[in-house]
Amino acid sequence: MCGIWNEEKRNLNLGGHVGFDSLPDQLVSKSVTQGFCFNILCVGETGIGKSTLMNTLFNTMFENEEASHYQNSVYLRPRTYDLQESNVHLKLTIVDTVGFGDQINKEDSYKPIVDYIDTQFESYLQEELKIKRSLFNYHDTRIHICLYFIAPTGHSLKSLDLVTMKKLDSKVNIIPIIAKADTISKSELHKFKIKIMSELVSNGVQIYQFPTDDEAVTEINASMNAHLPFAVVGSVDEVKVGNKTVRARQYPWGVVQVENESHCDFVKLREMLIRVNMEDLREQTHARHYELYRRCKLEEMGFKDTDPDCQPFSLQETYEAKRKEFLGDLQHKEEGMRQMFVSKVKETEAELKEKERELHDKFEQLKRLHQEEKRKVEEKRRDLEEEMNAHNRKKVAAETLALAQPLKKDKDRRN
Amino acid sequence: MSHAEGLEGSSEADRNSSMMANSLTVTLLNIQVICDSSLVFNTGSGGEMQQKNLEGYVGFANLPNQVYRKSVKRGFEFTLMVVGESGLGKSTLINSLFLTDLYSPEYPGPSHRIKKTVKVEQSKVLVKEGGVQLLLTIVDTPGFGDAVDNSDCWQPVIDHIDNKFEDYLNSESRVNRRLMPDNRVHCCLYFIAPSGHGLKPLDIEFMKRLHEKVNIIPLIAKADTMTPEEGQQFKKQIMREIQEHKIRIYEFPETDDEEEIKLVKKIKERLPLAVVGSNTIIEVNGKRVRGREYPWGVAEVENGEHCDFTILRNMLIRTHMQDLKDVTNNVHYENYRSRKLAAVTYNGADNNRNKGQLTKSPLAQMEEERREHVSKMKKMEMEMEQVFEMKVKEKIQKLKDSEAELQRRHEQMKRNLEAQHRELEEKKRQHEDEKAQWETQQRQLEQQKLEASRTLEKNKKKKIF
């Protein structure tokens, strides 16, 4: 009901018509004024009939160029349309997977799809987390339903189908449908459906179950759940059958009428998808798939609901704690950088000092050598001087002697 | 019954008539809303938007019914606050509004529970009507305005409203969100004493402080003490004073529906609504009505000529209850939330600088701060690198210069030394030469001398003989 209360609630009887039974009408009229939006994702191989089915389902010619088979990878193409039926405005977005199943290596085919879904969740989450936000006029692009087109082989699911659906089942509501069902006979179809459902169950793929908790729709939803996957035929061509003109596919052997329930499950799909459960699909997307995404994202970012003592955090505490952690982290980084720098400087300084010292040593040595050389030269010089002096003395002595000799000679002669 | 049954049977036979039935549903709604086909849609997400026409039945016109169904299943909740001095008839009015004994001898109204200080208390009741379940919470404030000194008697009220916002904010921000009970105060009925003159200072103070936190609907209590003319005057005076003090009471939403515009205009002319409440049923002209019996007549609660009770009830419950909740959620709560988160994000930072950045979430803000910090650090790192490189280059250059200088000096000294060496050698060589020459000379002289002396000797010897 409205929530878990631990306060005493009294049940009171009204003494007359108060008038709050108009509350649902007030709510409805507000929703109608706001307009509704619905986003469908079609996953299936090229040429399996996705665009035709959309045209048939919504009774409109949506523009679609035929896709080529030569895409390098899968990409998603969203298109938004504004539809109106009676007084209800619907903003419909159809997202097509172009190139799905065409590549030789299909290992990564599911990735663009998962990324697209996550991106839409992310935008919503970002808007929700903003300080100044406007959720009530936010254009919701989250995918509400994924129609998975199964090729009508009649045997079983392809491994690409299983892999893709397994990757998508926790992110989006999946309704598997058998495309081009006019190529399968009734008995083959019955076996095919059973095979597909059992394969899905044994692989743990969670497909969307039509809700059975609201008495107004329990019966019809429960019976439809048993007809999954829906075998559909799409056509926008009109054929005259009897005195009516219906949408159908004309073959030489007969006419397959789209809206004939004994020919295919198209009507069932339309009932379930649009007329009965559209709102539930939107609700499930918001309350289950989006919440799961949000929870994972927040946990990834380190948010917790309770502190180590199991006391619940208030939002303020959470943000403050985050912020403190964040600032501490920044400071730490800054410190680290500074430290690294300081040590680098020290290192280089030491290196340069070393070089300087070596240089000095070298020159000291050279100086000493030089001094040595100088000394030697001085010594030599002194020796030379001494010798020269000695020689000079000898010279002087000899000259003095020579001067004295001639006198003696003369003396001798006289004698 | 306002809701057409049978639509939800959804058997195939309904298909052709359901479109008709859909229009039927629409006309039976209490509020006529004609959807304006020129509604502007926000096409943020990438595809261009195209208007398309349906060529046949699709079925999403049933969406409103799906919404209806789900909302009934979920049930509704509403919190109404009543504020006013004791004895103004608040409990009686609530009982009259909801046609039930919300306040009774077992659960007395605020005037019977006056405490020493103003308290804020709430009681929850579950009521059902036409398959629709409503959890109604009535918040009252016994003791409000009854003391001699009433300064700050509004504070407990403000605290209560903020607490409820805080609770909602916390539960909305949890990682694991389950059901989020909405206990926020959706509407505050403020009772003005029928003095006939104007608003009291307390009234003005209260409304000024609370008009940005909650939808305020001012009411003139015990309106049966005024004649219609007195009532008119009083109302005009009050509205004048409200405008003068720039108090924003609850405003009706804009609408394009002609009928609704007329309705709203009528209500606006009669603001503030003058109400009378009663717990007793009296017989008047064969009809059983709620009213107050006087010797001179019966003041009927639900008679539009006697008081504005019906207008209040219709507006509060039958037509604008959802809008009151929406305004609380989209305006008052969002104001609280953005103020709260801005305070948390820009803890201590200069608020003026950040006013324009409120479009981010606190996390996005931290991300941005982180990026800024990273680029700041990069810049710092680059600068430090530059300075470092420059200094190193300088030092190396100096070393080179010093080395070159020393080398030069060394070279010079070497050259000097070599010059000296050469000089010395030269001198030595000269000296040697000279010495050799002299010695040769000497030897010659010696030789000559020797020969001369020998000759002399010979001659001497000859002479003797």
Side-chain angles (χ1 to χ4, degrees):
Chain A
M1 256 289 297
C2 291
I4 308 154
W5 306 114
N6 27 22
E7 287 166 317
E8 185 218 322
K9 267 197 316 258
R10 289 179 286 148
N11 274 299
L12 289 181
N13 289 321
L14 302 175
H17 183 238
V18 177
F20 60 80
D21 55 351
S22 69
L23 268 173
D25 294 312
Q26 293 179 38
L27 183 62
V28 164
S29 84
K30 179 192 84 160
S31 315
V32 171
T33 318
Q34 260 182 343
F36 298 90
C37 86
F38 196 66
N39 306 318
I40 304 182
L41 170 67
C42 292
V43 181
E45 300 169 0
T46 312
I48 205 170
K50 305 187 283 291
S51 317
T52 314
L53 186 69
M54 287 297 110
N55 289 349
T56 319
L57 209 52
F58 288 97
N59 246 314
T60 315
M61 289 305 284
F62 298 120
E63 270 131 37
N64 275 306
E65 320 99 31
E66 270 182 23
S68 92
H69 282 276
Y70 300 106
Q71 302 289 334
N72 277 333
S73 61
V74 179
Y75 76 92
L76 277 84
R77 184 176 58 190
R79 288 221 173 97
T80 309
Y81 303 95
D82 180 18
L83 307 174
Q84 183 174 358
E85 190 177 35
S86 110
N87 66 330
V88 176
H89 277 272
L90 181 68
K91 204 188 299 184
L92 178 72
T93 302
I94 301 180
V95 185
D96 203 359
T97 50
V98 182
F100 189 76
D102 281 331
Q103 296 79 29
I104 295 175
N105 181 356
K106 297 180 266 225
E107 263 182 4
D108 293 338
S109 291
Y110 70 88
K111 284 207 184 111
I113 305 177
V114 169
D115 288 344
Y116 182 84
I117 296 176
D118 280 345
T119 308
Q120 310 318 306
F121 282 152
E122 183 67 31
S123 317
Y124 190 88
L125 181 63
Q126 284 306 318
E127 182 66 32
E128 209 187 21
L129 291 179
K130 276 190 191 165
I131 294 180
K132 246 187 158 56
R133 60 188 189 179
S134 54
L135 279 174
F136 52 88
N137 56 13
Y138 175 78
H139 176 207
D140 189 2
T141 55
R142 297 173 293 178
I143 300 290
H144 300 121
I145 178 72
C146 168
L147 291 177
Y148 196 92
F149 288 69
I150 298 169
T153 58
H155 297 312
S156 61
L157 288 172
K158 299 198 182 136
S159 43
L160 173 64
D161 296 337
L162 279 169
V163 164
T164 310
M165 279 199 269
K166 196 82 181 81
K167 291 279 179 199
L168 292 177
D169 70 354
S170 58
K171 292 194 172 289
V172 70
N173 300 315
I174 302 181
I175 295 183
I177 53 183
I178 300 171
K180 299 195 171 176
D182 53 348
T183 59
I184 313 183
S185 76
K186 229 183 169 104
S187 53
E188 284 171 356
L189 186 65
H190 186 65
K191 274 195 268 181
F192 192 30
K193 283 191 181 185
I194 294 178
K195 189 78 186 0
I196 291 176
M197 290 312 277
S198 75
E199 280 193 324
L200 289 176
V201 164
S202 61
N203 280 283
V205 176
Q206 303 260 7
I207 57 172
Y208 176 72
Q209 292 293 312
F210 304 115
T212 48
D213 49 358
D214 182 356
E215 329 125 344
V217 292
T218 306
E219 225 181 279
I220 185 152
N221 277 346
S223 82
M224 290 298 179
N225 274 326
H227 281 97
L228 285 172
F230 292 132
V232 293
V233 173
S235 171
V236 289
D237 302 322
E238 311 224 306
V239 173
K240 206 160 156 81
V241 172
N243 53 359
K244 279 205 303 179
T245 316
V246 291
R247 290 180 292 170
R249 288 176 62 79
Q250 180 140 50
Y251 290 103
W253 48 87
V255 177
V256 179
Q257 294 159 39
V258 166
E259 279 167 301
N260 186 329
E261 288 210 54
S262 54
H263 289 194
C264 72
D265 297 331
F266 173 81
V267 172
K268 295 194 176 69
L269 175 67
R270 184 178 62 195
E271 287 293 291
M272 287 293 99
L273 179 63
I274 301 179
R275 240 189 113 253
V276 178
N277 296 305
M278 204 182 228
E279 184 61 24
D280 185 69
L281 286 165
R282 282 151 46 96
E283 218 178 76
Q284 288 291 318
T285 306
H286 180 69
R288 210 152 55 89
H289 300 294
Y290 169 70
E291 283 299 312
L292 180 63
Y293 175 83
R294 177 180 174 278
R295 188 161 60 235
C296 292
K297 202 68 201 292
L298 291 183
E299 278 172 0
E300 215 177 283
M301 294 200 276
F303 281 93
K304 284 191 283 285
D305 272 340
T306 56
D307 67 10
D309 299 316
C310 283
Q311 288 302 319
F313 276 136
S314 81
L315 180 70
Q316 183 138 14
E317 285 172 350
T318 308
Y319 274 132
E320 275 173 2
K322 263 252 137 206
R323 194 175 175 72
K324 225 164 55 177
E325 188 192 316
F326 169 70
L327 288 175
D329 188 44
L330 290 184
Q331 230 175 10
H332 184 79
K333 280 206 171 84
E334 217 173 299
E335 264 311 304
M337 193 184 88
R338 260 186 238 278
Q339 289 288 39
M340 192 196 74
F341 219 81
V342 164
S343 64
K344 189 165 155 188
V345 167
K346 266 207 188 120
E347 224 178 85
T348 315
E349 241 179 18
E351 262 177 43
L352 286 177
K353 266 212 165 70
E354 183 68 27
K355 274 210 174 100
E356 208 173 340
R357 206 167 52 78
E358 277 177 20
L359 191 69
H360 271 227
D361 283 350
K362 178 166 134 194
F363 278 103
E364 281 302 302
Q365 197 177 38
L366 281 177
K367 204 161 148 190
R368 273 198 299 274
L369 280 173
H370 172 83
Q371 297 287 55
E372 189 63 31
E373 285 292 317
K374 202 163 168 193
R375 203 175 49 78
K376 282 203 192 132
V377 169
E378 279 305 302
E379 232 181 76
K380 265 201 177 144
R381 186 194 296 274
R382 268 201 308 274
D383 285 346
L384 184 65
E385 295 242 315
E386 245 182 64
E387 209 185 292
M388 275 176 79
N389 283 343
H391 171 77
N392 275 347
R393 276 200 301 273
K394 230 160 100 183
K395 223 162 104 177
V396 166
E399 277 182 7
T400 322
L401 206 62
L403 272 173
Q405 277 283 1
L407 274 171
K408 199 166 175 219
K409 211 166 163 190
D410 276 342
K411 237 185 193 171
D412 276 343
R413 256 208 234 123
R414 265 185 246 128
N415 288 349
Chain B
M1 225 34 258
S2 61
H3 174 56
E5 275 116 356
L7 267 167
E8 276 315 304
S10 64
S11 61
E12 289 107 47
D14 273 343
R15 247 200 342 273
N16 290 330
S17 56
S18 61
M19 249 175 87
M20 260 287 280
N22 278 335
S23 334
L24 264 174
T25 316
V26 172
T27 45
L28 287 172
L29 285 176
N30 284 334
I31 304 242
Q32 284 269 21
V33 179
I34 297 169
C35 281
D36 189 359
S37 56
S38 65
L39 276 169
V40 174
F41 288 109
N42 176 12
T43 58
S45 79
E48 351 91 47
M49 223 192 23
Q50 302 162 46
Q51 190 101 22
K52 285 285 176 185
N53 288 321
L54 303 180
E55 288 165 31
Y57 172 75
V58 177
F60 61 80
N62 205 32
L63 258 177
N65 291 327
Q66 297 180 32
V67 172
Y68 188 100
R69 199 177 10 103
K70 281 197 176 285
S71 70
V72 169
K73 186 156 168 281
R74 247 193 327 261
F76 294 86
E77 39 190 6
F78 192 76
T79 304
L80 181 64
M81 179 183 263
V82 280
V83 182
E85 297 168 14
S86 64
L88 283 181
K90 303 186 289 294
S91 329
T92 317
L93 185 74
I94 295 295
N95 283 353
S96 308
L97 266 175
F98 293 98
L99 294 176
T100 184
D101 287 330
L102 224 139
Y103 292 113
S104 60
E106 295 88 38
Y107 296 92
S111 303
H112 295 279
R113 294 168 10 233
I114 295 185
K115 317 278 161 69
K116 287 227 177 71
T117 53
V118 177
K119 284 241 173 275
V120 177
E121 292 171 348
Q122 62 182 33
S123 50
K124 289 184 190 284
V125 294
L126 198 54
V127 285
K128 237 175 138 148
E129 187 177 64
V132 176
Q133 203 156 9
L134 174 66
L135 179 63
L136 182 65
T137 306
I138 304 286
V139 181
D140 53 28
T141 54
F144 181 84
D146 289 330
V148 175
D149 179 3
N150 286 308
S151 323
D152 299 329
C153 67
W154 47 78
Q155 196 56 47
V157 177
I158 293 181
D159 291 341
H160 178 89
I161 294 177
D162 278 346
N163 280 339
K164 297 301 173 193
F165 280 155
E166 171 93 21
D167 286 343
Y168 193 81
L169 179 61
N170 283 337
S171 69
E172 190 193 33
S173 311
R174 285 170 64 83
V175 174
N176 277 303
R177 303 194 288 200
R178 301 259 78 214
L179 300 152
M180 285 196 295
D182 186 2
N183 281 328
R184 301 172 291 183
V185 177
H186 300 119
C187 178
C188 172
L189 297 177
Y190 187 77
F191 286 72
I192 300 168
S195 66
H197 293 171
L199 289 173
K200 296 214 252 292
L202 176 60
D203 299 334
I204 295 172
E205 250 337 285
F206 180 86
M207 286 198 277
K208 265 167 82 166
R209 282 163 190 280
L210 266 100
H211 68 156
E212 309 243 283
K213 288 193 175 288
V214 71
N215 298 315
I216 298 183
I217 297 180
L219 302 173
I220 298 175
K222 300 200 164 173
D224 54 344
T225 59
M226 293 187 295
T227 66
E229 297 77 30
E230 283 169 353
Q232 281 286 81
Q233 286 285 62
F234 192 33
K235 284 183 182 187
K236 278 212 185 75
Q237 176 63 19
I238 292 177
M239 287 314 281
R240 233 195 327 261
E241 289 185 35
I242 283 178
Q243 269 173 3
E244 199 180 293
H245 291 271
K246 298 206 184 43
I247 294 171
R248 296 221 298 268
I249 58 175
Y250 172 68
E251 271 169 23
F252 296 90
E254 304 221 337
T255 171
D256 294 317
D257 178 52
E258 298 256 346
E259 289 220 14
E260 209 177 316
I261 294 180
K262 271 196 257 165
L263 193 75
V264 168
K265 194 152 168 286
K266 265 209 296 192
I267 299 178
K268 278 198 165 145
E269 284 168 6
R270 303 188 69 161
L271 286 178
L273 301 172
V275 291
V276 174
S278 171
N279 285 327
T280 49
I281 305 199
I282 304 167
E283 192 146 329
V284 173
N285 294 339
K287 275 204 310 181
R288 290 173 60 78
V289 291
R290 275 191 182 239
R292 292 175 60 76
E293 188 160 25
Y294 293 105
W296 47 87
V298 175
E300 292 166 44
V301 168
E302 289 180 20
N303 188 328
E305 289 170 21
H306 293 191
C307 72
D308 301 325
F309 175 84
T310 328
I311 297 181
L312 174 67
R313 182 188 58 200
N314 286 343
M315 183 205 96
L316 179 63
I317 300 176
R318 296 186 185 177
T319 58
H320 288 84
M321 200 178 234
Q322 184 61 40
D323 186 65
L324 285 163
K325 289 170 67 171
D326 290 339
V327 172
T328 306
N329 185 47
N330 297 338
V331 178
H332 298 297
Y333 170 69
E334 288 297 321
N335 279 342
Y336 174 82
R337 181 179 175 278
S338 45
R339 246 180 290 130
K340 200 77 197 288
L341 289 184
V344 164
T345 312
Y346 301 113
N347 230 330
D350 183 344
N351 278 315
N352 286 328
R353 176 170 66 91
N354 292 318
K355 265 207 174 77
Q357 295 178 346
L358 288 181
T359 49
K360 290 193 215 72
S361 71
L363 296 171
Q365 182 63 25
M366 280 202 274
E367 253 317 293
E368 176 149 323
E369 282 182 14
R370 186 191 293 269
R371 273 196 299 266
E372 268 178 30
H373 190 263
V374 165
S375 74
K376 189 175 93 173
M377 286 228 299
K378 264 205 167 71
K379 225 173 78 174
M380 222 165 55
E381 197 174 340
M382 246 172 51
E383 278 175 15
M384 289 212 263
E385 278 281 341
Q386 266 183 8
V387 169
F388 178 75
E389 290 291 313
M390 206 179 66
K391 287 248 162 83
V392 166
K393 234 161 82 176
E394 251 180 48
K395 201 86 194 269
I396 291 187
Q397 189 60 31
K398 245 165 95 191
L399 267 178
K400 271 208 170 80
D401 287 346
S402 149
E403 187 176 357
E405 176 69 21
L406 283 172
Q407 189 75 9
R408 198 182 53 81
R409 265 198 260 153
H410 166 76
E411 293 285 312
Q412 201 178 48
M413 283 202 288
K414 201 156 134 190
R415 274 198 301 273
N416 269 350
L417 211 60
E418 281 181 1
Q420 279 184 7
H421 222 260
R422 272 199 305 275
E423 199 193 308
L424 200 64
E425 288 296 306
E426 181 69 28
K427 238 181 170 177
K428 192 164 178 187
R429 201 179 46 75
Q430 268 182 7
H431 166 77
E432 295 283 308
D433 274 352
E434 202 205 311
K435 188 163 161 196
Q437 221 178 41
W438 188 77
E439 299 218 316
T440 323
Q441 229 180 39
Q442 288 300 95
R443 262 202 306 280
Q444 270 182 359
L445 266 171
E446 222 41 38
Q447 198 73 6
Q448 273 179 3
K449 245 194 349 202
L450 204 61
E451 268 189 32
S453 123
R454 247 190 245 130
T455 320
L456 207 57
E457 277 297 312
K458 232 180 193 176
N459 285 345
K460 244 181 170 176
K461 266 183 186 156
K462 259 186 198 172
K463 243 178 172 179
I464 298 173
F465 297 119

